[in-house]
Amino acid sequence: MKILYIHQYFITPSEPGGTRSYWISQELIRRGHQVTMITSTNKAHPDPCRKSIDGIDVIYVKNDYSNYMSAPRKVYAFLNFIRLALREARKQKNVDLVYATSTPLTIGYIAMRLKASRGWKYVFEVRDLWPEFPIEVGAIKNPLAIKYLRRMERKIYEKSEFVVALSPGMQEGVIAAGTPPEKTAMIPNMSKPDKFFPHPANPEIVREFQLDLNKFNVIHFGAMGRANGLEYIIDSAKVLKEKGNEDIIFVFLGDGATCPLLKRLAEEYGLDNVRFLGSHKMDVVAEIVNCCDASITTFLNLPILKTNSPNKLFDSLSAGKPIIVNSAGWTKDLVEKEDCGFFVDPERPEELAEKLVAVKDDAELLARWGRNARRLSVEVYDKSLLSAQVADVLEKVRGRYV
């Protein structure tokens, strides 16, 4: 079948960022399906164009987007992508199924419009619960906008043939919006055990990024947006410095709107136990993560963020790193049930400092957490397994209408 895949932020493994859509596309192509991807231009592909990338027919429309943009500019980018994506989509022929992946929620609106005008069935993938996410973080405050977006959310679910959610909490949110449970599936983000895996530290990476392997390095990699609540890590670093604990280093890898603030705070507090290494493509990220001793994933203490399914957590599992989380949702349940790390109170940065001091020299405990993390990435969250589950859903949905 021919699948029209709509993802505003499509990324390949040669670019920084999440690659879920790439791996799903590869599985679909492996099964003999044709995939046409409509996405936005980015740093790697700055001009509108059409390219074949590893068998994926990718259409880049000119639509700039950055985490640094103001809220009005982001809204413009979302609305502009609707216009451009619809224009390109309507040029396509013989489409059998549309797979539309959020965020933002407007991606679902595109699929809904195509169904109305072309009769193309669609499956909607929920990566964040919109509009609840921007409402809770304070990005949307207008009551009329909130009412309209909630109505649009319900309509997108209703008109879809199926909804794929990336976490149990997201699936519950979709069902709570009136979607029949049997019309949903939970297929979380994916680990990449062939890309992130434990191995001896790369000496060139150690030299290039001046990593001190004699320290206990805790890494946060990926998005550095407001929702990530990364001031929590800075505050923990401040606690450690004030207590004279000099052998724990926090490493930030990535970029986002709060990066300048975090750097300013680190400088203001005189924190020599915090390092910012920039944003890099996946193979470099994997090597840096491999050189670190533990991985941390943080979020603001908001109910909606407990549903999150962060890429960095699954890549950390693959790397065989002990996992630290501060979100009291399904990720807390995961690390505690599977014995691959620990949870810390999102309102108490001193707890993170205390627990790191307590575990950093416990080689046996850290090794057990690392082994369990790696096992989980291979047996449960491997990208091959989960991409196959998504492909199964799409084939099943298509099979109903053939």
Side-chain angles (χ1 to χ4, degrees):
M1 63 178 163
K2 180 176 179 179
I3 298 163
L4 182 62
Y5 204 137
I6 304 174
H7 183 186
Q8 189 164 341
Y9 315 119
F10 174 67
I11 293 294
T12 69
S14 63
E15 306 162 47
T19 52
R20 175 184 176 92
S21 291
Y22 173 86
W23 302 116
I24 292 172
S25 297
Q26 291 302 298
E27 174 63 19
L28 290 166
I29 292 168
R30 188 189 69 79
R31 295 186 181 200
H33 303 303
Q34 180 183 347
V35 178
T36 296
M37 179 76 63
I38 298 180
T39 189
S40 289
T41 50
N42 56 38
K43 289 182 180 179
H45 304 277
D47 299 311
C49 61
R50 187 167 189 163
K51 294 183 177 180
S52 178
I53 301 178
D54 298 333
I56 311 168
D57 178 22
V58 186
I59 300 171
Y60 290 95
V61 299
K62 184 63 177 176
N63 189 57
D64 295 334
Y65 181 85
S66 166
N67 196 253
Y68 287 90
M69 284 180 173
S70 64
R73 287 189 66 197
K74 287 181 179 179
V75 170
Y76 172 78
F78 298 156
L79 296 178
N80 194 45
F81 186 73
I82 292 176
R83 179 180 66 86
L84 296 172
L86 281 172
R87 185 184 68 188
E88 292 299 327
R90 286 169 176 156
K91 297 177 184 177
Q92 305 306 308
K93 297 179 180 179
N94 303 317
V95 171
D96 295 298
L97 191 66
V98 175
Y99 193 50
T101 181
S102 68
T103 56
L105 183 65
T106 43
I107 304 301
Y109 176 78
I110 295 169
M112 195 165 60
R113 284 281 299 274
L114 290 172
K115 183 174 183 178
S117 63
R118 292 292 190 271
W120 297 340
K121 311 291 186 182
Y122 72 91
V123 173
F124 186 53
E125 181 177 84
V126 178
R127 296 188 178 214
D128 281 312
L129 283 173
W130 275 54
E132 294 309 314
F133 168 71
I135 292 170
E136 286 199 18
V137 300
I140 300 175
K141 299 177 181 178
N142 184 290
L144 290 177
I146 290 172
K147 183 178 180 180
Y148 172 77
L149 289 170
R150 282 180 171 154
R151 186 164 61 243
M152 184 167 74
E153 176 198 24
R154 290 192 295 271
K155 196 164 186 178
I156 289 168
Y157 298 156
E158 177 189 339
K159 297 293 184 181
S160 71
E161 275 55 59
F162 203 82
V163 180
V164 174
L166 266 64
S167 77
M170 290 182 205
Q171 185 180 26
E172 290 166 7
V174 172
I175 294 170
T179 310
E182 62 272 15
K183 188 180 168 179
T184 71
M186 196 286 287
I187 305 176
N189 256 322
M190 306 168 180
S191 63
K192 300 184 278 290
D194 59 334
K195 305 296 181 182
F196 289 77
F197 53 91
H199 58 281
N202 183 325
E204 292 182 5
I205 291 291
V206 172
R207 280 196 303 271
E208 180 179 353
F209 293 97
Q210 300 180 343
L211 299 170
D212 188 346
L213 302 186
N214 294 315
K215 304 285 189 180
F216 190 85
N217 292 286
V218 181
I219 190 165
H220 175 281
F221 60 104
M224 299 173 70
R226 181 183 172 193
N228 297 103
L230 297 174
E231 295 92 332
Y232 178 85
I233 297 177
I234 297 294
D235 291 340
S236 296
K238 186 170 181 282
V239 171
L240 287 167
K241 183 174 177 63
E242 289 171 348
K243 292 187 175 182
N245 298 112
E246 299 181 351
D247 55 349
I248 298 174
I249 305 293
F250 291 102
V251 177
F252 286 97
L253 194 60
D255 196 10
T258 65
C259 189
L261 168 64
L262 300 173
K263 289 181 176 179
R264 187 165 66 249
L265 288 174
E267 183 177 357
E268 179 183 326
Y269 298 152
L271 301 179
D272 52 4
N273 56 350
V274 175
R275 307 234 9 246
F276 295 89
L277 302 186
S279 183
H280 302 276
K281 60 184 181 179
M282 186 176 66
D283 59 345
V284 175
V285 172
E287 290 292 348
I288 295 173
V289 172
N290 181 62
C291 292
C292 294
D293 300 284
S295 177
I296 184 167
T297 300
T298 66
F299 288 103
L300 292 174
N301 189 22
L302 296 173
I304 194 64
L305 295 177
K306 295 176 184 178
T307 69
N308 214 284
S309 183
N311 282 304
K312 63 182 71 69
L313 184 146
F314 297 93
D315 288 337
S316 300
L317 292 174
S318 296
K321 299 301 173 185
I323 310 296
I324 306 164
V325 298
N326 77 338
S327 181
W330 81 293
T331 57
K332 174 181 183 290
D333 296 339
L334 185 149
V335 298
E336 292 181 344
K337 178 183 176 183
E338 301 295 340
D339 190 28
C340 59
F342 61 87
F343 165 81
V344 285
D345 188 328
E347 300 295 339
R348 296 188 63 243
E350 63 273 14
E351 182 178 324
L352 172 60
E354 292 166 1
K355 287 193 174 182
L356 286 173
V357 170
V359 306
K360 67 182 177 63
D361 295 319
D362 192 335
E364 184 178 340
L365 176 63
L366 295 170
R368 187 179 79 229
W369 282 344
R371 286 193 303 271
N372 288 339
R374 177 67 184 177
R375 173 190 53 78
L376 200 58
S377 79
V378 173
E379 296 180 0
V380 181
Y381 297 114
D382 184 284
K383 66 181 187 300
S384 300
L385 299 174
L386 299 186
S387 293
Q389 290 181 26
V390 175
D392 288 345
V393 166
L394 299 183
E395 290 178 341
K396 184 177 181 180
V397 168
R398 174 58 181 162
R400 295 179 195 160
Y401 305 102
V402 176

